[in-house]
């Protein structure tokens, strides 16, 4: 039961990041590479905090280090494709597309991490995924032939691979030991994307962000990354103590959070929250209620 709260908190934090990222990609980053560099470099912060405050034993099986570090690297790669998708579609559309990939996770989790779901958990998982797919169909057809579809699905697919790898390692070593190397892998990805950015245009995008924007906006960039790191930490903590399939299914509640936040804040800043007027609101609300029902059914055995 301990995993349920962080499994529901993580998508709320990701929803906030998603809405802010949408505006940053359009008005600040001017490209997916710059956003990936910032996300990756900030990824080192948890590793520093763990080394300073947690004082964990850094010596674990080198094979597990390789797996979890690669997962951290791929996590930032998924951010790159996520930013690419945000350049071509509204946040609610990108989030909805992420709901299309976890359907096969219970089968993979069964063989890779020896996960067993109860009858109610299977029903709840299936309900959440089905409602999320129906929800996504209200928007996916708007860009059926758009390039946005491909980067969004690639990002979601990589994200699922990262979750499987993380769960595999979390089941074998202490959470903070594993997250230390996951964080380091994100940092390496940040360096890699920085190399690509410098090679592509001598770092003009990144320099432009630093030079031309106010201190307030730079503070906002830092705040977004801190919220993103917090979301990633909470999600991975939920993975370390809960069933992979259900934690991933619960991530689809991000759709609801994006919708609710957009509707509430649209009157204040309409141009920042276009999702509030994306259409088919009745169907989205109905599917949102079904997702909530699926979450409830998933917890009946606890």
């Amino acid at each position: 039961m301990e995993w349920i709260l962080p499994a529901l908190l993580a998508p709320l934090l990701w929803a906030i990041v998603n809405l802010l990222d949408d505006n940053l990609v359009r008005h600040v980053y001017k490209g997916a590479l710059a956003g990936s560099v910032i996300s990756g470099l900030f990824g080192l912060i948890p590793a520093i905090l763990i080394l300073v405050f947690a004082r964990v034993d850094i010596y674990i099986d080198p094979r597990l280090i390789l797996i979890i570090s690669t997962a951290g690297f791929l996590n930032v790669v998924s951010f790159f494709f996520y930013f690419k998708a945000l350049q071509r579609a509204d946040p609610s559309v990108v989030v909805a597309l992420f709901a299309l990939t976890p359907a096969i996770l219970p089968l993979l989790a069964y063989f890779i991490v020896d996960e067993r779901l109860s009858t109610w958990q299977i029903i709840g998982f299936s309900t959440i995924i089905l409602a999320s797919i129906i929800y996504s169909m209200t928007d996916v057809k708007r860009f059926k032939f758009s390039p946005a579809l491909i980067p969004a699905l690639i990002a979601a697919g990589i994200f699922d691979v990262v979750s499987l790898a993380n769960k595999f390692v979390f089941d074998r070593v202490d959470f903070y030991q594993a997250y230390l190397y996951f964080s380091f892998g994100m940092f390496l990805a940040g360096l890699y994307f920085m190399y690509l950015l410098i090679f592509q245009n001598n770092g003009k995008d990144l320099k432009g962000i630093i030079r031309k924007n106010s201190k307030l906006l730079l503070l906002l960039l830092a705040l977004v990354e801190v919220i993103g790191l917090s979301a990633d930490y909470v999600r991975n903590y939920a993975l370390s103590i809960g069933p992979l399939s259900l934690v991933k299914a619960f991530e689809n509640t991000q759709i609801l959070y994006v919708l609710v936040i957009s509707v509430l804040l649209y009157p204040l800043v309409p141009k920042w929250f276009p999702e509030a007027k994306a259409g088919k609101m009745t169907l989205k609300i109905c599917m949102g209620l079904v997702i909530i029902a699926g979450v409830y059914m998933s917890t009946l055995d606890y």
Side-chain angles (χ1 to χ4, degrees):
M1 196 72 173
E2 185 183 354
W3 62 270
I4 293 176
L5 181 59
L8 290 173
L9 176 60
L12 171 59
L13 295 174
W14 277 123
I16 296 172
V17 172
N18 181 251
L19 289 167
L20 291 173
D21 277 343
D22 175 56
N23 288 281
L24 289 174
V25 166
R26 286 188 285 115
H27 303 298
V28 180
Y29 291 155
K30 305 300 182 182
L33 280 176
S36 302
V37 169
I38 294 173
S39 296
L41 295 183
F42 267 84
L44 187 64
I45 294 177
I48 295 173
L49 293 176
I50 290 172
L51 287 173
V52 173
F53 296 105
R55 299 182 182 278
V56 299
D57 183 3
I58 65 173
Y59 299 104
I60 62 176
D61 188 329
R63 291 170 296 184
L64 296 181
I65 292 177
L66 178 61
I67 292 173
I68 198 72
S69 299
T70 302
F73 190 98
L74 290 176
N75 198 48
V76 179
V77 174
S78 73
F79 291 164
F80 172 78
F81 288 103
Y82 156 76
F83 287 131
K84 282 285 189 183
L86 280 179
Q87 288 180 294
R88 296 167 172 81
D90 292 335
S92 61
V93 178
V94 176
V95 172
L97 279 171
F98 272 66
L100 303 179
T101 60
I104 197 174
L105 268 182
L107 180 62
L108 295 176
Y110 179 88
F111 290 105
I112 296 176
V113 295
D114 196 31
E115 182 174 281
R116 305 289 192 277
L117 298 182
S118 68
T119 301
W120 274 115
Q121 289 172 339
I122 293 173
I123 293 174
F125 173 90
S126 302
T127 301
I128 294 170
I129 297 301
L130 180 60
S132 300
I133 290 174
I134 294 175
Y135 185 108
S136 69
M137 287 179 179
T138 65
D139 290 307
V140 170
K141 65 182 181 181
R142 285 194 301 158
F143 58 104
K144 184 177 180 181
F145 302 106
S146 167
L149 181 63
I150 295 176
L153 291 180
I154 291 175
I158 294 174
F159 207 50
D160 285 345
V161 171
V162 169
S163 297
L164 278 166
N166 285 358
K167 180 63 175 176
F168 179 84
V169 177
F170 291 151
D171 285 346
R172 288 159 175 79
V173 297
D174 177 75
F175 171 73
Y176 288 107
Q177 283 181 306
Y179 203 73
L180 169 67
Y181 291 103
F182 179 82
S183 176
F184 184 68
M186 289 185 62
F187 177 69
L188 291 179
L191 293 178
Y192 172 72
F193 280 111
M194 177 178 285
Y195 166 77
L196 293 181
L197 188 65
I198 294 173
F199 182 78
Q200 181 182 39
N201 59 10
N202 294 319
K204 290 181 181 178
D205 289 345
L206 201 57
K207 292 176 183 177
I209 292 173
I210 296 173
R211 285 177 184 168
K212 72 179 181 180
N213 293 301
S214 67
K215 292 181 180 179
L216 183 61
L217 188 50
L218 292 176
L219 182 62
L220 175 62
L221 290 176
L223 178 62
V224 171
E225 294 306 320
V226 169
I227 297 174
L229 286 173
S230 301
D232 219 23
Y233 170 84
V234 173
R235 180 183 72 90
N236 280 288
Y237 177 72
L239 280 175
S240 70
I241 60 176
L244 169 64
S245 301
L246 293 184
V247 172
K248 290 296 294 179
F250 279 27
E251 288 177 5
N252 287 351
T253 58
Q254 184 179 343
I255 295 172
L256 299 179
Y257 293 132
V258 168
L259 184 62
V260 171
I261 293 172
S262 297
V263 170
L264 291 177
L265 297 184
Y266 178 80
L268 299 177
V269 195
K271 67 177 182 179
W272 284 12
F273 304 100
E275 295 79 10
K277 296 190 68 176
K280 297 195 175 180
M281 192 64 67
T282 301
L283 176 60
K284 291 181 179 180
I285 292 174
C286 289
M287 290 303 100
L289 294 175
V290 174
I291 290 174
I292 293 173
V295 169
Y296 173 74
M297 286 186 286
S298 299
T299 64
L300 288 180
D301 288 330
Y302 291 94

